[in-house]
Amino acid sequence: MKKLIYGNFKMNSTLLDIEKYTETFIPKVSLSKNEIAIFPPFTYLMFAKQKLTSSKILLGAQNVSSESKGAFTGEVSAQMLKSVGVDIVLIGHSERRKLFLEKNEIINKKIKEALSLGLKVVLCVGETKSERLNNRYTEVIQKEISEGLKGLYENELKNIIIAYEPIWSIGTGVVPEVKQIEEVVKIIKTEISNEYSLNASKNAKILYGGSVNAINAKSFASIPGIGGLLVGGASLNPEEFAKICNI
């Protein structure tokens, strides 16, 4: 079954890096049957699109404004992203929530704005170490989903992917147990079923992200209910990310 394998470059790479990366990476994944996307920084989106034109690789943006246009210095709108060829956008990444204090209300506005321009959305959810240890992860994830998707119709869910990223695992090398991920998959599906329908829950696309590398990628992607992977640091290495994409 086809998996979704997405690479988030975060605030890394230069223009020259992107050029070298795509020249190395594209040939290595040309035969992959998985859906692949890379999420470079805003400044390289147009250049990356040009490099990806002859491939099936999707182009993603790491964030988007909740506003359509106007006096919002430093922001990038969904329309701008669409105009340079972006296919999909990350919204609610844990680093945006923690470092830039993005709340569910803003995340919800961003999702609606992105969908209105025909962009696919990856909604990131997940708990901190403290929330995990204090058994609050269920309520945290339920709230992030219910408030993040507030006001959306069920037919809009086909363009939304939910990425579970335990914050305590991102970039730490600390890997959750399979049963922990399986439990969260059930939490996500149950919440979608409660908010929408059993059919919506069944069709929900769920990614796992957190300390994914070429060694553990296959085991994560094989967990029931997991439709793919959101890869961070390992995606910066074209050889390693290619191995992950070819699982």
Side-chain angles (χ1 to χ4, degrees):
M1 182 183 295
K2 179 177 74 173
K3 297 290 183 179
L4 312 181
I5 312 293
Y6 296 166
N8 176 19
F9 290 9
K10 305 190 180 184
M11 196 176 73
N12 294 292
S13 304
T14 64
L15 190 65
L16 181 59
D17 291 333
I18 297 295
E19 182 172 25
K20 291 180 178 178
Y21 186 101
T22 51
E23 289 174 356
T24 300
F25 180 69
I26 293 173
K28 291 183 180 294
V29 298
S30 61
L31 298 179
S32 176
K33 296 181 180 179
N34 295 319
E35 179 178 289
I36 302 167
I38 61 170
F39 293 72
F42 284 140
T43 47
Y44 311 132
L45 288 174
M46 186 177 292
F47 180 73
K49 186 65 177 183
Q50 294 171 353
K51 290 292 184 178
L52 298 176
T53 300
S54 61
S55 74
K56 296 180 180 179
I57 301 169
L58 301 179
L59 179 64
Q62 298 175 22
N63 191 25
V64 66
S65 176
S66 59
E67 305 295 334
S68 60
K69 62 180 179 180
F72 302 100
T73 301
E75 289 290 277
V76 176
S77 72
Q79 186 176 35
M80 293 173 182
L81 297 179
K82 186 71 174 180
S83 70
V84 297
V86 167
D87 303 294
I88 187 167
V89 60
L90 288 180
I91 298 179
H93 190 280
S94 62
E95 290 158 3
R96 299 298 311 178
R97 294 177 187 268
K98 179 181 178 181
L99 301 176
F100 300 95
L101 307 180
E102 291 188 3
K103 304 300 182 183
N104 291 327
E105 180 182 3
I106 289 295
I107 289 166
N108 177 250
K109 287 184 67 177
K110 289 186 175 190
I111 291 173
K112 290 176 179 176
E113 188 64 27
L115 292 177
S116 73
L117 268 294
L119 295 170
K120 288 187 177 181
V121 169
V122 178
L123 168 61
C124 301
V125 301
E127 78 282 2
T128 63
K129 183 177 181 180
S130 174
E131 290 163 345
R132 166 62 62 171
L133 293 176
N134 288 293
N135 256 342
R136 293 189 56 239
Y137 57 92
T138 298
E139 66 175 275
V140 168
I141 293 169
Q142 287 175 332
K143 186 175 182 180
E144 289 180 343
I145 292 173
S146 64
E147 295 185 3
L149 301 181
K150 185 177 181 180
L152 296 179
Y153 294 103
E154 184 169 327
N155 68 325
E156 294 179 286
L157 298 185
K158 66 180 181 295
N159 290 318
I160 297 177
I161 300 153
I162 296 178
Y164 169 54
E165 43 168 24
I167 298 171
W168 46 274
S169 178
I170 298 174
T172 65
V174 179
V175 180
E177 297 178 11
V178 170
K179 64 180 181 181
Q180 291 176 311
I181 299 175
E182 288 178 334
E183 181 186 14
V184 172
V185 168
K186 291 180 181 178
I187 292 170
I188 292 171
K189 284 185 171 290
T190 298
E191 183 61 25
I192 292 176
S193 178
N194 291 339
E195 295 286 336
Y196 294 96
S197 70
L198 189 60
N199 188 58
S201 172
K202 180 181 178 181
N203 293 325
K205 300 173 184 175
I206 303 173
L207 309 183
Y208 169 75
S211 295
V212 177
N213 55 48
I215 296 173
N216 60 29
K218 187 173 183 179
S219 60
F220 282 136
S222 299
I223 295 173
I226 292 295
L229 304 168
L230 179 58
V231 186
S235 70
L236 293 174
N237 182 316
E239 286 85 4
E240 181 169 10
F241 190 44
K243 290 179 182 178
I244 296 173
C245 291
N246 288 324
I247 56 173

